[in-house]
Amino acid sequence: MPVDSRRIVGPETSVPYTAYQAKSDKDKLDLANRSEGRAVDSHRKIFLSTGVISQAKGSAYIEQGRTKVMVGVFGPREVQRRSDFSMAGVLTAELKFAPFACTTRRGQQADREEQELGMVVG
């Protein structure tokens, strides 16, 4: 039988993956107790509010657990160049972390992480 020299040949024998699994019970996930003290079948408390940004066309605030999100909708805006006009429209998103939201304080300029998350959202 011809041998394919482009393929990486695996070992003749192998060790089953169960040999590398942890044997202790302390590594198992305990679903009965949550770090927040909630029961397994209960949901986090949620708070919603609309109209929180006065300059926006629409805005909302949601708080669930320790996560807080504020969103605002601005527009429509004039296009910079007439050649960029489109009847389909363009949606752009900008993401900004609050300065106190992370362990290291963030500045006013959007850093790489905020720019990447803004592209994913928009």
Side-chain angles (χ1 to χ4, degrees), residues 12 16 29 36 41 74 79 83-84 86 93 100 102 110:
E12 292 292 326
L29 183 61
E36 303 166 344
D41 59 347
F74 300 90
V79 293
S83 61
D84 292 342
S86 170
F100 54 84
C102 302

Side-chain angles (χ1 to χ4, degrees), residues 66-71 93-121:
R66 292 176 37 196
T67 304
K68 299 169 179 69
V69 177
M70 186 180 297
V71 66
E94 180 180 321
L95 182 123
K96 183 72 179 137
F97 286 110
F100 54 84
C102 302
T103 55
T104 57
R105 195 164 180 87
R106 294 177 182 259
Q108 291 294 327
Q109 295 293 330
D111 61 2
R112 178 170 293 223
E113 182 182 13
E114 290 173 337
Q115 290 173 349
E116 288 177 2
L117 288 171
M119 287 191 295
V120 169
V121 171

